[in-house]
mmCIF file with all atom_site columns, all heavy atoms in Angstrom:
data_model
loop_
_atom_site.group_PDB
_atom_site.id
_atom_site.type_symbol
_atom_site.label_atom_id
_atom_site.label_alt_id
_atom_site.label_comp_id
_atom_site.label_asym_id
_atom_site.label_entity_id
_atom_site.label_seq_id
_atom_site.pdbx_PDB_ins_code
_atom_site.Cartn_x
_atom_site.Cartn_y
_atom_site.Cartn_z
_atom_site.occupancy
_atom_site.B_iso_or_equiv
_atom_site.pdbx_formal_charge
_atom_site.auth_seq_id
_atom_site.auth_comp_id
_atom_site.auth_asym_id
_atom_site.auth_atom_id
_atom_site.pdbx_PDB_model_num
ATOM 1   N N   . SER A 1 95  ? -29.388 4.205  2.601  1.00 0.00 ? 95  SER A N   1
ATOM 2   C CA  . SER A 1 95  ? -28.488 3.949  3.728  1.00 0.00 ? 95  SER A CA  1
ATOM 3   C C   . SER A 1 95  ? -28.599 5.039  4.783  1.00 0.00 ? 95  SER A C   1
ATOM 4   O O   . SER A 1 95  ? -27.987 4.940  5.843  1.00 0.00 ? 95  SER A O   1
ATOM 5   C CB  . SER A 1 95  ? -27.046 3.855  3.227  1.00 0.00 ? 95  SER A CB  1
ATOM 6   O OG  . SER A 1 95  ? -26.672 5.050  2.581  1.00 0.00 ? 95  SER A OG  1
ATOM 7   N N   . HIS A 1 96  ? -29.421 6.062  4.529  1.00 0.00 ? 96  HIS A N   1
ATOM 8   C CA  . HIS A 1 96  ? -29.555 7.192  5.457  1.00 0.00 ? 96  HIS A CA  1
ATOM 9   C C   . HIS A 1 96  ? -30.068 6.739  6.815  1.00 0.00 ? 96  HIS A C   1
ATOM 10  O O   . HIS A 1 96  ? -29.534 7.123  7.861  1.00 0.00 ? 96  HIS A O   1
ATOM 11  C CB  . HIS A 1 96  ? -30.464 8.259  4.845  1.00 0.00 ? 96  HIS A CB  1
ATOM 12  C CG  . HIS A 1 96  ? -30.597 9.462  5.722  1.00 0.00 ? 96  HIS A CG  1
ATOM 13  N ND1 . HIS A 1 96  ? -31.626 9.598  6.628  1.00 0.00 ? 96  HIS A ND1 1
ATOM 14  C CD2 . HIS A 1 96  ? -29.820 10.567 5.849  1.00 0.00 ? 96  HIS A CD2 1
ATOM 15  C CE1 . HIS A 1 96  ? -31.487 10.744 7.269  1.00 0.00 ? 96  HIS A CE1 1
ATOM 16  N NE2 . HIS A 1 96  ? -30.393 11.351 6.821  1.00 0.00 ? 96  HIS A NE2 1
ATOM 17  N N   . THR A 1 97  ? -31.104 5.905  6.810  1.00 0.00 ? 97  THR A N   1
ATOM 18  C CA  . THR A 1 97  ? -31.703 5.440  8.069  1.00 0.00 ? 97  THR A CA  1
ATOM 19  C C   . THR A 1 97  ? -30.671 4.687  8.907  1.00 0.00 ? 97  THR A C   1
ATOM 20  O O   . THR A 1 97  ? -30.539 4.916  10.116 1.00 0.00 ? 97  THR A O   1
ATOM 21  C CB  . THR A 1 97  ? -32.910 4.528  7.780  1.00 0.00 ? 97  THR A CB  1
ATOM 22  O OG1 . THR A 1 97  ? -33.821 5.234  6.945  1.00 0.00 ? 97  THR A OG1 1
ATOM 23  C CG2 . THR A 1 97  ? -33.611 4.104  9.048  1.00 0.00 ? 97  THR A CG2 1
ATOM 24  N N   . GLN A 1 98  ? -29.914 3.807  8.281  1.00 0.00 ? 98  GLN A N   1
ATOM 25  C CA  . GLN A 1 98  ? -28.903 3.041  8.990  1.00 0.00 ? 98  GLN A CA  1
ATOM 26  C C   . GLN A 1 98  ? -27.794 3.962  9.511  1.00 0.00 ? 98  GLN A C   1
ATOM 27  O O   . GLN A 1 98  ? -27.318 3.793  10.638 1.00 0.00 ? 98  GLN A O   1
ATOM 28  C CB  . GLN A 1 98  ? -28.310 1.977  8.070  1.00 0.00 ? 98  GLN A CB  1
ATOM 29  C CG  . GLN A 1 98  ? -27.343 1.053  8.767  1.00 0.00 ? 98  GLN A CG  1
ATOM 30  C CD  . GLN A 1 98  ? -26.816 -0.023 7.836  1.00 0.00 ? 98  GLN A CD  1
ATOM 31  O OE1 . GLN A 1 98  ? -26.940 0.053  6.629  1.00 0.00 ? 98  GLN A OE1 1
ATOM 32  N NE2 . GLN A 1 98  ? -26.209 -1.050 8.427  1.00 0.00 ? 98  GLN A NE2 1
ATOM 33  N N   . ALA A 1 99  ? -27.399 4.952  8.718  1.00 0.00 ? 99  ALA A N   1
ATOM 34  C CA  . ALA A 1 99  ? -26.351 5.887  9.143  1.00 0.00 ? 99  ALA A CA  1
ATOM 35  C C   . ALA A 1 99  ? -26.821 6.695  10.354 1.00 0.00 ? 99  ALA A C   1
ATOM 36  O O   . ALA A 1 99  ? -26.055 6.897  11.305 1.00 0.00 ? 99  ALA A O   1
ATOM 37  C CB  . ALA A 1 99  ? -25.978 6.817  7.993  1.00 0.00 ? 99  ALA A CB  1
ATOM 38  N N   . VAL A 1 100 ? -28.056 7.159  10.351 1.00 0.00 ? 100 VAL A N   1
ATOM 39  C CA  . VAL A 1 100 ? -28.593 7.920  11.484 1.00 0.00 ? 100 VAL A CA  1
ATOM 40  C C   . VAL A 1 100 ? -28.644 7.042  12.731 1.00 0.00 ? 100 VAL A C   1
ATOM 41  O O   . VAL A 1 100 ? -28.259 7.469  13.824 1.00 0.00 ? 100 VAL A O   1
ATOM 42  C CB  . VAL A 1 100 ? -30.000 8.482  11.156 1.00 0.00 ? 100 VAL A CB  1
ATOM 43  C CG1 . VAL A 1 100 ? -30.673 9.030  12.396 1.00 0.00 ? 100 VAL A CG1 1
ATOM 44  C CG2 . VAL A 1 100 ? -29.902 9.559  10.086 1.00 0.00 ? 100 VAL A CG2 1
ATOM 45  N N   . ARG A 1 101 ? -29.052 5.784  12.569 1.00 0.00 ? 101 ARG A N   1
ATOM 46  C CA  . ARG A 1 101 ? -29.124 4.859  13.705 1.00 0.00 ? 101 ARG A CA  1
ATOM 47  C C   . ARG A 1 101 ? -27.730 4.647  14.306 1.00 0.00 ? 101 ARG A C   1
ATOM 48  O O   . ARG A 1 101 ? -27.559 4.676  15.532 1.00 0.00 ? 101 ARG A O   1
ATOM 49  C CB  . ARG A 1 101 ? -29.738 3.537  13.238 1.00 0.00 ? 101 ARG A CB  1
ATOM 50  C CG  . ARG A 1 101 ? -30.233 2.667  14.350 1.00 0.00 ? 101 ARG A CG  1
ATOM 51  C CD  . ARG A 1 101 ? -31.100 1.478  13.912 1.00 0.00 ? 101 ARG A CD  1
ATOM 52  N NE  . ARG A 1 101 ? -30.591 0.732  12.782 1.00 0.00 ? 101 ARG A NE  1
ATOM 53  C CZ  . ARG A 1 101 ? -31.190 0.673  11.583 1.00 0.00 ? 101 ARG A CZ  1
ATOM 54  N NH1 . ARG A 1 101 ? -32.335 1.303  11.379 1.00 0.00 ? 101 ARG A NH1 1
ATOM 55  N NH2 . ARG A 1 101 ? -30.671 -0.029 10.613 1.00 0.00 ? 101 ARG A NH2 1
ATOM 56  N N   . ARG A 1 102 ? -26.733 4.481  13.472 1.00 0.00 ? 102 ARG A N   1
ATOM 57  C CA  . ARG A 1 102 ? -25.366 4.296  13.976 1.00 0.00 ? 102 ARG A CA  1
ATOM 58  C C   . ARG A 1 102 ? -24.847 5.564  14.648 1.00 0.00 ? 102 ARG A C   1
ATOM 59  O O   . ARG A 1 102 ? -24.153 5.497  15.668 1.00 0.00 ? 102 ARG A O   1
ATOM 60  C CB  . ARG A 1 102 ? -24.440 3.894  12.826 1.00 0.00 ? 102 ARG A CB  1
ATOM 61  C CG  . ARG A 1 102 ? -24.676 2.481  12.373 1.00 0.00 ? 102 ARG A CG  1
ATOM 62  C CD  . ARG A 1 102 ? -23.721 2.063  11.302 1.00 0.00 ? 102 ARG A CD  1
ATOM 63  N NE  . ARG A 1 102 ? -23.983 0.703  10.895 1.00 0.00 ? 102 ARG A NE  1
ATOM 64  C CZ  . ARG A 1 102 ? -23.404 0.111  9.875  1.00 0.00 ? 102 ARG A CZ  1
ATOM 65  N NH1 . ARG A 1 102 ? -22.518 0.769  9.163  1.00 0.00 ? 102 ARG A NH1 1
ATOM 66  N NH2 . ARG A 1 102 ? -23.693 -1.128 9.566  1.00 0.00 ? 102 ARG A NH2 1
ATOM 67  N N   . PHE A 1 103 ? -25.166 6.721  14.068 1.00 0.00 ? 103 PHE A N   1
ATOM 68  C CA  . PHE A 1 103 ? -24.734 7.985  14.666 1.00 0.00 ? 103 PHE A CA  1
ATOM 69  C C   . PHE A 1 103 ? -25.347 8.163  16.054 1.00 0.00 ? 103 PHE A C   1
ATOM 70  O O   . PHE A 1 103 ? -24.658 8.524  17.004 1.00 0.00 ? 103 PHE A O   1
ATOM 71  C CB  . PHE A 1 103 ? -25.112 9.163  13.761 1.00 0.00 ? 103 PHE A CB  1
ATOM 72  C CG  . PHE A 1 103 ? -24.803 10.489 14.384 1.00 0.00 ? 103 PHE A CG  1
ATOM 73  C CD1 . PHE A 1 103 ? -23.491 10.943 14.474 1.00 0.00 ? 103 PHE A CD1 1
ATOM 74  C CD2 . PHE A 1 103 ? -25.818 11.290 14.893 1.00 0.00 ? 103 PHE A CD2 1
ATOM 75  C CE1 . PHE A 1 103 ? -23.206 12.166 15.057 1.00 0.00 ? 103 PHE A CE1 1
ATOM 76  C CE2 . PHE A 1 103 ? -25.540 12.505 15.476 1.00 0.00 ? 103 PHE A CE2 1
ATOM 77  C CZ  . PHE A 1 103 ? -24.225 12.950 15.556 1.00 0.00 ? 103 PHE A CZ  1
ATOM 78  N N   . LEU A 1 104 ? -26.642 7.890  16.190 1.00 0.00 ? 104 LEU A N   1
ATOM 79  C CA  . LEU A 1 104 ? -27.315 8.028  17.492 1.00 0.00 ? 104 LEU A CA  1
ATOM 80  C C   . LEU A 1 104 ? -26.747 7.049  18.510 1.00 0.00 ? 104 LEU A C   1
ATOM 81  O O   . LEU A 1 104 ? -26.617 7.380  19.696 1.00 0.00 ? 104 LEU A O   1
ATOM 82  C CB  . LEU A 1 104 ? -28.829 7.858  17.333 1.00 0.00 ? 104 LEU A CB  1
ATOM 83  C CG  . LEU A 1 104 ? -29.524 8.961  16.510 1.00 0.00 ? 104 LEU A CG  1
ATOM 84  C CD1 . LEU A 1 104 ? -31.000 8.628  16.299 1.00 0.00 ? 104 LEU A CD1 1
ATOM 85  C CD2 . LEU A 1 104 ? -29.350 10.322 17.163 1.00 0.00 ? 104 LEU A CD2 1
ATOM 86  N N   . SER A 1 105 ? -26.387 5.869  18.075 1.00 0.00 ? 105 SER A N   1
ATOM 87  C CA  . SER A 1 105 ? -25.764 4.893  18.972 1.00 0.00 ? 105 SER A CA  1
ATOM 88  C C   . SER A 1 105 ? -24.413 5.415  19.465 1.00 0.00 ? 105 SER A C   1
ATOM 89  O O   . SER A 1 105 ? -24.088 5.293  20.652 1.00 0.00 ? 105 SER A O   1
ATOM 90  C CB  . SER A 1 105 ? -25.583 3.560  18.238 1.00 0.00 ? 105 SER A CB  1
ATOM 91  O OG  . SER A 1 105 ? -24.836 2.663  19.011 1.00 0.00 ? 105 SER A OG  1
ATOM 92  N N   . LEU A 1 106 ? -23.642 5.999  18.570 1.00 0.00 ? 106 LEU A N   1
ATOM 93  C CA  . LEU A 1 106 ? -22.363 6.589  18.947 1.00 0.00 ? 106 LEU A CA  1
ATOM 94  C C   . LEU A 1 106 ? -22.571 7.733  19.939 1.00 0.00 ? 106 LEU A C   1
ATOM 95  O O   . LEU A 1 106 ? -21.855 7.838  20.941 1.00 0.00 ? 106 LEU A O   1
ATOM 96  C CB  . LEU A 1 106 ? -21.621 7.101  17.711 1.00 0.00 ? 106 LEU A CB  1
ATOM 97  C CG  . LEU A 1 106 ? -20.321 7.848  17.957 1.00 0.00 ? 106 LEU A CG  1
ATOM 98  C CD1 . LEU A 1 106 ? -19.287 6.941  18.609 1.00 0.00 ? 106 LEU A CD1 1
ATOM 99  C CD2 . LEU A 1 106 ? -19.786 8.432  16.656 1.00 0.00 ? 106 LEU A CD2 1
ATOM 100 N N   . GLU A 1 107 ? -23.552 8.567  19.688 1.00 0.00 ? 107 GLU A N   1
ATOM 101 C CA  . GLU A 1 107 ? -23.863 9.675  20.598 1.00 0.00 ? 107 GLU A CA  1
ATOM 102 C C   . GLU A 1 107 ? -24.183 9.154  22.009 1.00 0.00 ? 107 GLU A C   1
ATOM 103 O O   . GLU A 1 107 ? -23.717 9.717  22.993 1.00 0.00 ? 107 GLU A O   1
ATOM 104 C CB  . GLU A 1 107 ? -25.056 10.483 20.065 1.00 0.00 ? 107 GLU A CB  1
ATOM 105 C CG  . GLU A 1 107 ? -24.731 11.338 18.864 1.00 0.00 ? 107 GLU A CG  1
ATOM 106 C CD  . GLU A 1 107 ? -24.059 12.636 19.260 1.00 0.00 ? 107 GLU A CD  1
ATOM 107 O OE1 . GLU A 1 107 ? -24.672 13.421 19.984 1.00 0.00 ? 107 GLU A OE1 1
ATOM 108 O OE2 . GLU A 1 107 ? -22.909 12.832 18.825 1.00 0.00 ? 107 GLU A OE2 1
ATOM 109 N N   . ARG A 1 108 ? -24.978 8.068  22.097 1.00 0.00 ? 108 ARG A N   1
ATOM 110 C CA  . ARG A 1 108 ? -25.320 7.499  23.412 1.00 0.00 ? 108 ARG A CA  1
ATOM 111 C C   . ARG A 1 108 ? -24.061 6.996  24.128 1.00 0.00 ? 108 ARG A C   1
ATOM 112 O O   . ARG A 1 108 ? -23.891 7.213  25.326 1.00 0.00 ? 108 ARG A O   1
ATOM 113 C CB  . ARG A 1 108 ? -26.337 6.365  23.262 1.00 0.00 ? 108 ARG A CB  1
ATOM 114 C CG  . ARG A 1 108 ? -27.768 6.838  23.034 1.00 0.00 ? 108 ARG A CG  1
ATOM 115 C CD  . ARG A 1 108 ? -28.758 5.698  23.122 1.00 0.00 ? 108 ARG A CD  1
ATOM 116 N NE  . ARG A 1 108 ? -28.507 4.615  22.164 1.00 0.00 ? 108 ARG A NE  1
ATOM 117 C CZ  . ARG A 1 108 ? -28.934 4.595  20.906 1.00 0.00 ? 108 ARG A CZ  1
ATOM 118 N NH1 . ARG A 1 108 ? -29.655 5.605  20.438 1.00 0.00 ? 108 ARG A NH1 1
ATOM 119 N NH2 . ARG A 1 108 ? -28.668 3.578  20.125 1.00 0.00 ? 108 ARG A NH2 1
ATOM 120 N N   . LYS A 1 109 ? -23.182 6.326  23.404 1.00 0.00 ? 109 LYS A N   1
ATOM 121 C CA  . LYS A 1 109 ? -21.951 5.817  24.010 1.00 0.00 ? 109 LYS A CA  1
ATOM 122 C C   . LYS A 1 109 ? -21.062 6.952  24.490 1.00 0.00 ? 109 LYS A C   1
ATOM 123 O O   . LYS A 1 109 ? -20.444 6.868  25.553 1.00 0.00 ? 109 LYS A O   1
ATOM 124 C CB  . LYS A 1 109 ? -21.191 4.954  23.002 1.00 0.00 ? 109 LYS A CB  1
ATOM 125 C CG  . LYS A 1 109 ? -21.856 3.623  22.737 1.00 0.00 ? 109 LYS A CG  1
ATOM 126 C CD  . LYS A 1 109 ? -21.098 2.838  21.691 1.00 0.00 ? 109 LYS A CD  1
ATOM 127 C CE  . LYS A 1 109 ? -21.829 1.558  21.354 1.00 0.00 ? 109 LYS A CE  1
ATOM 128 N NZ  . LYS A 1 109 ? -21.160 0.804  20.288 1.00 0.00 ? 109 LYS A NZ  1
ATOM 129 N N   . LEU A 1 110 ? -21.005 8.045  23.713 1.00 0.00 ? 110 LEU A N   1
ATOM 130 C CA  . LEU A 1 110 ? -20.148 9.170  24.083 1.00 0.00 ? 110 LEU A CA  1
ATOM 131 C C   . LEU A 1 110 ? -20.702 9.943  25.277 1.00 0.00 ? 110 LEU A C   1
ATOM 132 O O   . LEU A 1 110 ? -19.943 10.604 25.983 1.00 0.00 ? 110 LEU A O   1
ATOM 133 C CB  . LEU A 1 110 ? -19.930 10.094 22.888 1.00 0.00 ? 110 LEU A CB  1
ATOM 134 C CG  . LEU A 1 110 ? -19.072 9.525  21.746 1.00 0.00 ? 110 LEU A CG  1
ATOM 135 C CD1 . LEU A 1 110 ? -19.016 10.501 20.577 1.00 0.00 ? 110 LEU A CD1 1
ATOM 136 C CD2 . LEU A 1 110 ? -17.667 9.189  22.223 1.00 0.00 ? 110 LEU A CD2 1
ATOM 137 N N   . GLN A 1 111 ? -22.007 9.890  25.509 1.00 0.00 ? 111 GLN A N   1
ATOM 138 C CA  . GLN A 1 111 ? -22.609 10.582 26.655 1.00 0.00 ? 111 GLN A CA  1
ATOM 139 C C   . GLN A 1 111 ? -22.027 10.065 27.961 1.00 0.00 ? 111 GLN A C   1
ATOM 140 O O   . GLN A 1 111 ? -21.890 10.814 28.928 1.00 0.00 ? 111 GLN A O   1
ATOM 141 C CB  . GLN A 1 111 ? -24.135 10.408 26.663 1.00 0.00 ? 111 GLN A CB  1
ATOM 142 C CG  . GLN A 1 111 ? -24.857 11.168 25.585 1.00 0.00 ? 111 GLN A CG  1
ATOM 143 C CD  . GLN A 1 111 ? -24.660 12.677 25.679 1.00 0.00 ? 111 GLN A CD  1
ATOM 144 O OE1 . GLN A 1 111 ? -24.444 13.242 26.747 1.00 0.00 ? 111 GLN A OE1 1
ATOM 145 N NE2 . GLN A 1 111 ? -24.700 13.338 24.527 1.00 0.00 ? 111 GLN A NE2 1
ATOM 146 N N   . ASN A 1 112 ? -21.682 8.794  28.012 1.00 0.00 ? 112 ASN A N   1
ATOM 147 C CA  . ASN A 1 112 ? -21.142 8.191  29.222 1.00 0.00 ? 112 ASN A CA  1
ATOM 148 C C   . ASN A 1 112 ? -19.635 8.391  29.365 1.00 0.00 ? 112 ASN A C   1
ATOM 149 O O   . ASN A 1 112 ? -19.070 8.009  30.393 1.00 0.00 ? 112 ASN A O   1
ATOM 150 C CB  . ASN A 1 112 ? -21.450 6.688  29.242 1.00 0.00 ? 112 ASN A CB  1
ATOM 151 C CG  . ASN A 1 112 ? -22.931 6.417  29.242 1.00 0.00 ? 112 ASN A CG  1
ATOM 152 O OD1 . ASN A 1 112 ? -23.704 7.211  29.779 1.00 0.00 ? 112 ASN A OD1 1
ATOM 153 N ND2 . ASN A 1 112 ? -23.337 5.336  28.628 1.00 0.00 ? 112 ASN A ND2 1
ATOM 154 N N   . ARG A 1 113 ? -19.007 8.940  28.347 1.00 0.00 ? 113 ARG A N   1
ATOM 155 C CA  . ARG A 1 113 ? -17.552 9.139  28.383 1.00 0.00 ? 113 ARG A CA  1
ATOM 156 C C   . ARG A 1 113 ? -17.232 10.557 27.900 1.00 0.00 ? 113 ARG A C   1
ATOM 157 O O   . ARG A 1 113 ? -16.823 10.762 26.767 1.00 0.00 ? 113 ARG A O   1
ATOM 158 C CB  . ARG A 1 113 ? -16.879 8.100  27.503 1.00 0.00 ? 113 ARG A CB  1
ATOM 159 C CG  . ARG A 1 113 ? -17.257 6.676  27.943 1.00 0.00 ? 113 ARG A CG  1
ATOM 160 C CD  . ARG A 1 113 ? -16.652 5.624  27.093 1.00 0.00 ? 113 ARG A CD  1
ATOM 161 N NE  . ARG A 1 113 ? -15.229 5.500  27.406 1.00 0.00 ? 113 ARG A NE  1
ATOM 162 C CZ  . ARG A 1 113 ? -14.403 4.722  26.734 1.00 0.00 ? 113 ARG A CZ  1
ATOM 163 N NH1 . ARG A 1 113 ? -14.845 3.999  25.745 1.00 0.00 ? 113 ARG A NH1 1
ATOM 164 N NH2 . ARG A 1 113 ? -13.129 4.662  27.061 1.00 0.00 ? 113 ARG A NH2 1
ATOM 165 N N   . PRO A 1 114 ? -17.401 11.572 28.757 1.00 0.00 ? 114 PRO A N   1
ATOM 166 C CA  . PRO A 1 114 ? -17.251 12.970 28.348 1.00 0.00 ? 114 PRO A CA  1
ATOM 167 C C   . PRO A 1 114 ? -15.863 13.315 27.799 1.00 0.00 ? 114 PRO A C   1
ATOM 168 O O   . PRO A 1 114 ? -15.749 14.118 26.872 1.00 0.00 ? 114 PRO A O   1
ATOM 169 C CB  . PRO A 1 114 ? -17.536 13.762 29.619 1.00 0.00 ? 114 PRO A CB  1
ATOM 170 C CG  . PRO A 1 114 ? -17.795 12.799 30.701 1.00 0.00 ? 114 PRO A CG  1
ATOM 171 C CD  . PRO A 1 114 ? -17.782 11.435 30.146 1.00 0.00 ? 114 PRO A CD  1
ATOM 172 N N   . GLU A 1 115 ? -14.823 12.695 28.329 1.00 0.00 ? 115 GLU A N   1
ATOM 173 C CA  . GLU A 1 115 ? -13.471 13.008 27.833 1.00 0.00 ? 115 GLU A CA  1
ATOM 174 C C   . GLU A 1 115 ? -13.301 12.519 26.391 1.00 0.00 ? 115 GLU A C   1
ATOM 175 O O   . GLU A 1 115 ? -12.778 13.231 25.532 1.00 0.00 ? 115 GLU A O   1
ATOM 176 C CB  . GLU A 1 115 ? -12.422 12.338 28.731 1.00 0.00 ? 115 GLU A CB  1
ATOM 177 C CG  . GLU A 1 115 ? -10.996 12.733 28.368 1.00 0.00 ? 115 GLU A CG  1
ATOM 178 C CD  . GLU A 1 115 ? -9.993  12.097 29.315 1.00 0.00 ? 115 GLU A CD  1
ATOM 179 O OE1 . GLU A 1 115 ? -10.134 12.245 30.551 1.00 0.00 ? 115 GLU A OE1 1
ATOM 180 O OE2 . GLU A 1 115 ? -9.068  11.450 28.799 1.00 0.00 ? 115 GLU A OE2 1
#
Side-chain angles (χ1 to χ4, degrees):
S95 59
H96 182 266
T97 305
Q98 185 178 15
V100 169
R101 197 168 45 246
R102 287 183 180 172
F103 175 74
L104 294 175
S105 172
L106 175 63
E107 287 279 299
R108 282 189 301 275
K109 288 178 184 177
L110 291 176
Q111 289 299 332
N112 299 329
R113 303 179 75 186
E115 186 178 307

